[in-house]
Amino acid sequence: MDIKAEEFLHKLQNKLPLPQATQVYVVFGEDDYYRSQITAALPGYIYGDTDEADRQITVFEKDTDISAVSEAVNTYPFFSGQSLVVLKDDKLWSKGGEEARQTVLDKLTALVNDVPEYCTLLISAPKLDKRTKFYKALKKAALLCECASLRPYELQPWLDAQAELYGARFEHDAIGMIMEYLAPVEKVPLQLLQQEIAKLAVYAGERRQWTRQDILDIFAALPEASDFALTNFIMEGRLKAALEALASARRHGTYVLPLTAMVSAKLRQLARYFELQRSGYDQRSLMQELGVRHPYAMKMLTQQARRFDERRVREALLAVDQLNIDLRQGGRDFARLEEILIRLLA
């Protein structure tokens, strides 16, 4: 049986009944956030108030021998009457040739089909081949949870749930700002985002309404988000803030090429917006042509475009593209990008 990651984690954390009675749980997929959260929550769900010293938990995460896993699964726990075996060796699914992998899968198939009642087996893997006999065995014997990575436009329910943990809520513009920061990425770094939300909760203190300015204050200081902050400051016409973000990136040792690439992409989007608007495109057509997936992002782009002169945008775009070409020669890379921003925003 399948279960969604958010639902699985919620049931574990709140000690709620799971939809299938089984001794085998499987969490798989590229998203490390949910896999690690579920793995951390499972012992509390299984053992309840049992003292940690009496919990029999065996974890396999490196150089795993399937025979040792089988022994752990089949060894009766003397103290709590329950044992937990966690198999999260990522290399287990890829080491050796095809024959070696098949041998491992065959042994695991036999194992998951015969887990004793006193044992819970958790399998955590970055990827499982759904065509294999092993996966088909899991479909019958296990509760399966696929932890797919979130895209930025899918993020709002997750953000709302995170804020609720602190008794707070994001204002609409604050969520929009986070989506703007993450728009260039394919997969949302939930682990990093959760850490920044924890910092935001401390920063806001007793205040339970989290604003767009809060996001700017917290997220813009992140080395990982400084390039996203830079493009947002540019689009808002905030020269001083853009130069400070650029200086911060330089201090953190960020290579200038990814920054110029992002600035170029944003200016190109802006230039394309002007072109399409002159051609009479409506908002839906603009979103489709520009690759904008969230209405709030389109609203922000429309507002931001009003701050710019199309001729200066195209001049800045040409200058940034020339800087990208010249970067292989070294020299005044950050200084030239600063000069381009000053001409654009001053």
Side-chain angles (χ1 to χ4, degrees), residues 180-335:
E180 275 286 287
Y181 274 136
L182 297 172
V185 306
E186 281 294 315
K187 301 167 186 175
V188 177
L190 292 179
Q191 200 78 43
L192 173 64
L193 201 51
Q194 185 189 43
Q195 294 169 7
E196 297 316 303
I197 291 171
K199 294 178 187 176
L200 174 58
V202 174
Y203 173 81
E206 297 298 318
R207 183 163 46 83
R208 293 294 177 253
Q209 195 89 346
W210 293 346
T211 68
R212 183 174 183 274
Q213 188 59 49
D214 293 331
I215 303 305
L216 283 170
D217 293 342
I218 296 297
F219 283 62
L222 272 176
E224 294 87 349
S226 60
D227 43 2
F228 305 144
L230 174 63
T231 55
N232 276 285
F233 291 145
I234 292 170
M235 295 299 285
E236 292 173 0
R238 299 171 59 187
L239 175 59
K240 183 174 182 293
L243 294 178
E244 288 174 350
L246 191 58
S248 174
R250 189 174 191 172
R251 286 195 303 272
H252 284 100
T254 303
Y255 184 45
V256 73
L257 183 58
L259 299 180
T260 58
M262 292 195 72
V263 172
S264 175
K266 204 67 177 177
L267 292 176
R268 200 174 303 280
Q269 183 188 53
L270 197 55
R272 180 65 173 153
Y273 170 87
F274 288 131
E275 180 183 349
L276 295 172
Q277 190 184 48
R278 285 200 313 272
S279 300
Y281 279 63
D282 60 20
Q283 178 164 313
R284 176 174 291 186
S285 299
L286 279 169
M287 289 179 66
Q288 188 172 19
E289 287 293 323
L290 295 170
V292 177
R293 305 191 70 163
H294 198 278
Y296 177 84
M298 190 66 233
K299 175 185 174 184
M300 290 296 296
L301 178 60
T302 301
Q303 292 175 351
Q304 292 163 347
R306 299 189 186 119
R307 301 188 179 100
F308 291 90
D309 173 76
E310 183 177 1
R311 179 184 59 81
R312 293 176 71 179
V313 168
R314 293 192 179 279
E315 288 176 353
L317 177 58
L318 289 172
V320 173
D321 286 349
Q322 185 61 49
L323 175 56
N324 282 335
I325 294 171
D326 296 340
L327 278 176
R328 71 188 66 181
Q329 301 173 10
R332 301 169 58 251
D333 41 19
F334 270 92

